[in-house]
Amino acid sequence: MTIDKHLTVIDRLRLREFPAVPDRSAMVESGPGYHIAGLRVSEEFWDADAAEVAEAEEDFTAELTALVQALSLRWGAPETVDLGAHLERTARGLPVRPPLDTLCGYVPWMHGWWVQGRWIGVGVGQGGRELPFQLLVAVGEGAVQGPPPDTL
């Protein structure tokens, strides 16, 4: 998929209504106040050597950089959204609100913008060494930056 196609998907998600109940299609997971989409997903790495994994990571990072540059031309410099605190809460069995509960399992941090009352975040992650790399976009309402709230 090209950067132009990624931008088209992001624009569609940004304007799309949020469903009242969680919903999932082949590419998009949605729920009250959010959408998450895989813009690009690699193959799994069960039998891959370290060089193959490193090459895929480099390729996905380069694609993320190009996407961030394109989005920055539209909306200015992004904020960095660290999802580590949310992952720590999840690991301790504490609640984390959607979509941060899903995102933190794949993406350690995202580049994020506030646009017309919604946040848009993009990032690359891998849920585990053997799992595919994913270039993800998330669109949502509510706070995403800073420490997770104590009560959700």
Side-chain angles (χ1 to χ4, degrees):
M1 196 179 278
T2 67
I3 296 300
D4 288 338
K5 289 182 181 179
H6 293 335
L7 294 173
T8 298
V9 170
I10 291 168
D11 287 339
R12 286 183 183 152
L13 289 176
R14 191 170 59 84
L15 299 173
R16 187 177 185 180
E17 292 295 319
F18 298 121
V21 296
D23 185 37
R24 182 183 293 257
S25 68
M27 274 190 57
V28 180
E29 178 181 337
S30 297
Y34 72 91
H35 302 295
I36 301 172
L39 297 173
R40 181 174 168 218
V41 179
S42 74
E43 294 182 21
E44 294 181 349
F45 296 100
W46 291 102
D47 296 321
D49 62 26
E52 185 179 352
V53 174
E55 182 180 326
E57 181 177 21
E58 187 176 301
D59 186 39
F60 271 76
T61 300
E63 191 166 349
L64 173 63
T65 299
L67 181 58
V68 168
Q69 289 172 345
L71 292 170
S72 294
L73 289 173
R74 291 178 167 190
W75 302 322
E79 294 183 44
T80 300
V81 180
D82 184 353
L83 299 175
H86 300 290
L87 181 59
E88 186 177 316
R89 285 181 61 86
T90 299
R92 293 189 335 216
L94 298 172
V96 175
R97 69 177 172 81
L100 301 175
D101 59 345
T102 299
L103 291 171
C104 72
Y106 294 99
V107 183
W109 55 271
M110 299 184 87
H111 300 278
W113 298 264
W114 279 98
V115 180
Q116 298 174 337
R118 291 186 172 188
W119 58 266
I120 294 94
V122 293
V124 167
Q126 185 182 27
R129 181 176 156 18
E130 297 84 12
L131 298 177
F133 283 99
Q134 298 182 61
L135 174 59
L136 297 175
V137 59
V139 176
E141 299 176 318
V144 67
Q145 184 68 315
D150 289 331
T151 58
L152 301 173

